[in-house]
Amino acid sequence: MAAKRVRFGQFELDFGAFQLFRAGEPVQIEGLPLRLLMYLIEHHRDLVTREEIANLLWGKDVFVDFEMGINTAIRKIRIALEDDSAQPQYLQTVVGQGYRLVAQINPIDEIPASPDSAKVSLEELGQAIMAAAGLDPEDPNAESKLPEKS
């Protein structure tokens, strides 16, 4: 199964590669803000509370100033996305509650080799086998052009 990839605005997020791209170019973003962005995308349009974010990034048993850490992570996401908190295109603040990713998210389908592109007719297969055996595919009665074994 291919790794999850999504597109929003001019951005593409590759979950498998743990990488954010803008117009095909990698965007510099630290690990914690990127993990948070992935979580927000997975919970697209849902309110993600500050408590959920703290549990996601640090767990329940870690004692850190997570208020400052959350603010920093959100700020770094906004910087990476060039998003304005006053007029958000991507990340909306729900004052006193949390955050919501509001951008339109489009999954990117991995493009596997088309099953039809690999199809070969029986005639083409037979000709390929004959050519590999050293026979002229145009003359099925022709003898092998391979040297005989002694």
Side-chain angles (χ1 to χ4, degrees):
M1 182 175 156
K4 180 177 176 178
R5 291 180 15 196
V6 297
R7 183 171 289 130
F8 56 102
Q10 60 182 331
F11 295 94
E12 182 177 313
L13 181 58
D14 186 331
F15 283 67
F18 201 68
Q19 180 68 58
L20 178 66
F21 299 91
R22 176 188 300 118
E25 295 296 318
V27 175
Q28 293 294 334
I29 184 169
E30 294 173 18
L32 281 178
L34 185 56
R35 280 184 49 212
L36 177 53
L37 178 59
M38 292 170 139
Y39 188 80
L40 289 163
I41 286 173
E42 289 174 338
H43 295 85
H44 181 237
R45 299 206 187 271
D46 293 340
L47 173 65
V48 177
T49 67
R50 293 178 68 82
E51 184 178 332
E52 282 179 78
I53 294 169
N55 289 335
L56 168 74
L57 299 180
W58 297 284
K60 295 180 183 196
D61 299 326
V62 175
F63 299 99
V64 296
D65 180 4
F66 67 85
E67 292 295 329
M68 177 81 104
I70 291 171
N71 293 342
T72 300
I74 292 293
R75 183 174 43 80
K76 288 180 179 182
I77 291 171
R78 284 198 169 115
I79 289 169
L81 299 179
E82 297 178 353
D83 201 21
D84 180 4
S85 61
Q87 296 181 331
Q89 294 180 328
Y90 303 107
L91 189 58
Q92 177 187 57
T93 300
V94 180
V95 178
Q97 299 297 309
Y99 303 91
R100 178 180 293 122
L101 192 77
V102 294
Q104 176 68 37
I105 302 293
N106 299 306
I108 300 172
D109 295 326
E110 293 295 320
I111 304 171
S114 168
D116 292 335
S117 68
K119 288 186 179 175
V120 177
S121 73
L122 289 176
E123 181 179 346
E124 291 170 319
L125 177 61
Q127 289 176 348
I129 291 171
M130 289 179 71
L135 300 173
D136 181 359
E138 302 299 319
D139 183 5
N141 296 322
E143 297 202 14
S144 173
K145 298 175 189 170
L146 298 175
E148 292 188 24
K149 293 184 182 177
S150 32

